[in-house]
Amino acid sequence: MLSALLDTLRRLVNLCRKEFLAVLQDPASRVVLVVPAILQSLLFGYGATFDLTDVPYAVLDQSRGEASTRLLAHLDGTGVFQRVATLQAPRQMAEVIDAGDALLVLHFPPDFERRLSAGQPAPLQLILDGRNSTTAGNAAAQVRAVVAAFNAALPGAARPPVTVASRAWFNPNLETRWNIMPGLIASLSMIQVMMLAALSVAREREQGTFDQLLVTPYTPRMLLVGKALPSMLIGLLQSSLILLVARFWFGVPMVGSAWTLYAGLLLFTLAVVGTGLSISALSANMQQAMLYTFVLLMPLVLLSGLATPVRNMPEGFQIATYANPLRFAIDLVRRVYLEGATLAQVWQDLVPFFCVAAVTLPLAGWLFRRRLV
């Protein structure tokens, strides 16, 4: 019994070694496994942000009074808003917005100073470029905050009886990067792992080595395990690379336990590898495997909650996300990374990983056995 077990382990080690050699012996493959993960995490970290750091705006001040001048000084003092144009006529507002030169236009009407001095409501028109709705909404919120601070500083202004002091948990400065980077730990590694697993069997067929597997003493189950383990290990290594970039390059602090994080990533990678192996066993060549993978990856990423919350999606799409392991992987990584959640608190996210793996791995084995027959 012991000798049979050792012989099985030896065969699995040899098969895993063969898979690693097939992937790593090509210099181009080594670069593809490491460089894209780092570059994509850097690109997302710097580029995928809704934080406002530079908001170009234009002003049409028909009042030309002291109040409008002081309000604009408050706005310029934030360091976020940069005045790019001072308009002279209302028709110029459409021109500067249409050309994309300004994200917003502030319009002070001629009676702004008079109404403010008389204690009457003084309307301030804010025109936004809604082609980027998220950024425009954030800019409008900051303008309202500046106006509220300006109102509170007016002489004799009535103080509101209730004041609100807000505090954001798990992301004190509400930085987009703190939300994006933990999600990339799961999503970017999933793309690479699924592609690697999907190409494993298809590559054997295309290179003509698949027939050689038929005469080996390996069973279909052993071949499946031998192809799954290297992909899982490579996926965990890529997740570690992205984790290091998020933690030490972008400075996003990790609050939770690394053991909890990697336990969840291990099960998530198992589900992804099962899906990739099913695609690989179904594909006749590498081109088919790549096509099937790309067709599947797009809806998985869009319905994962990486960029938009799942609760904002239509009800039908929300139900469909329960079959998407990436949705629960992103939730798990964010909660463990930012919140410090324990394994007992995120166990619900582990259940879909088991379910997907329980379906895809037997399916891949069944498809693989059919190919061997």
Side-chain angles (χ1 to χ4, degrees):
M1 177 67 69
L2 181 60
S3 61
L5 178 61
L6 293 176
D7 184 63
T8 301
L9 291 177
R10 179 180 59 80
R11 291 181 180 181
L12 283 177
V13 170
N14 291 335
L15 188 58
C16 291
R17 180 173 177 271
K18 167 190 169 299
E19 289 297 317
F20 276 118
L21 289 176
V23 174
L24 301 179
Q25 68 180 358
D26 183 11
S29 298
R30 294 196 296 267
V31 172
V32 168
L33 291 177
V34 177
V35 175
I38 298 177
L39 287 181
Q40 289 170 0
S41 59
L42 292 175
L43 289 174
F44 274 96
Y46 283 116
T49 175
F50 298 119
D51 299 332
L52 294 180
T53 57
D54 185 9
V55 179
Y57 78 98
V59 176
L60 176 59
D61 187 3
Q62 294 180 311
S63 171
R64 303 184 185 276
E66 179 185 357
S68 61
T69 302
R70 286 192 290 113
L71 179 55
L72 290 174
H74 279 73
L75 198 67
D76 294 332
T78 62
V80 174
F81 294 89
Q82 308 294 331
R83 190 188 308 187
V84 295
T86 300
L87 310 181
Q88 304 299 326
R91 59 178 177 78
Q92 294 178 308
M93 293 190 296
E95 296 175 359
V96 73
I97 291 291
D98 292 344
D101 297 330
L103 180 65
L104 58 90
V105 175
L106 292 175
H107 177 206
F108 295 89
D111 59 347
F112 181 83
E113 183 80 19
R114 178 184 61 79
R115 294 175 67 92
L116 199 62
S117 301
Q120 300 176 353
L124 170 63
Q125 187 179 27
L126 176 62
I127 300 176
L128 297 164
D129 184 355
R131 288 172 291 193
N132 191 333
S133 58
T134 302
T135 304
N138 292 341
Q142 288 211 20
V143 171
R144 294 188 187 99
V146 171
V147 172
F150 174 80
N151 290 335
L154 288 175
R159 298 291 180 180
V162 178
T163 59
V164 177
S166 61
R167 177 184 177 187
W169 286 8
F170 315 126
N171 188 356
N173 297 324
L174 296 176
E175 296 184 29
T176 306
R177 189 173 294 158
W178 284 38
N179 179 58
I180 292 291
M181 293 307 300
L184 294 180
I185 295 174
S187 57
L188 290 184
S189 65
M190 183 200 72
I191 295 174
Q192 294 277 1
V193 170
M194 186 174 292
M195 181 65 68
L196 187 63
L199 294 176
S200 60
V201 179
R203 183 178 59 248
E204 298 276 2
R205 294 197 185 96
E206 195 162 296
Q207 294 178 350
T209 57
F210 184 74
D211 293 336
Q212 298 177 9
L213 293 176
L214 302 179
V215 297
T216 62
Y218 294 105
T219 63
R221 183 176 300 176
M222 292 177 63
L223 291 172
L224 189 67
V225 173
K227 290 186 175 295
L229 290 179
S231 299
M232 292 178 62
L233 181 57
I234 291 174
L236 292 177
L237 290 176
Q238 289 185 329
S239 296
S240 301
L241 284 176
I242 303 168
L243 173 63
L244 292 175
V245 172
R247 177 65 187 89
F248 296 105
W249 184 272
F250 291 108
V252 183
M254 180 175 174
V255 180
S257 167
W259 293 106
T260 303
L261 179 63
Y262 276 93
L265 288 175
L266 179 64
L267 294 176
F268 167 65
T269 307
L270 179 65
V272 173
V273 168
T275 305
L277 289 176
S278 298
I279 295 174
S280 187
L282 187 63
S283 305
N285 50 55
M286 296 178 67
Q287 288 76 14
Q288 283 188 6
M290 293 180 65
L291 177 61
Y292 295 157
T293 303
F294 281 121
V295 169
L296 184 61
L297 279 175
M298 184 60 69
L300 289 180
V301 174
L302 290 177
L303 298 178
S304 66
L306 176 65
T308 56
V310 174
R311 62 179 177 272
N312 292 349
M313 300 177 186
E315 185 176 354
F317 283 176
Q318 292 186 37
I319 296 174
T321 60
Y322 283 100
N324 183 6
L326 183 58
R327 169 196 171 174
F328 301 96
I330 290 177
D331 180 72
L332 181 144
V333 173
R334 283 175 175 169
R335 293 188 61 191
V336 173
Y337 195 105
L338 298 174
E339 181 184 338
T342 63
L343 199 60
Q345 294 173 318
V346 296
W347 68 268
Q348 297 95 334
D349 290 328
L350 303 179
V351 175
F353 304 154
F354 282 111
C355 295
V356 173
V359 172
T360 57
L361 287 174
L363 176 62
W366 179 74
L367 292 172
F368 197 64
R369 283 193 298 269
R370 288 192 60 190
R371 293 290 186 177
L372 289 175
V373 173

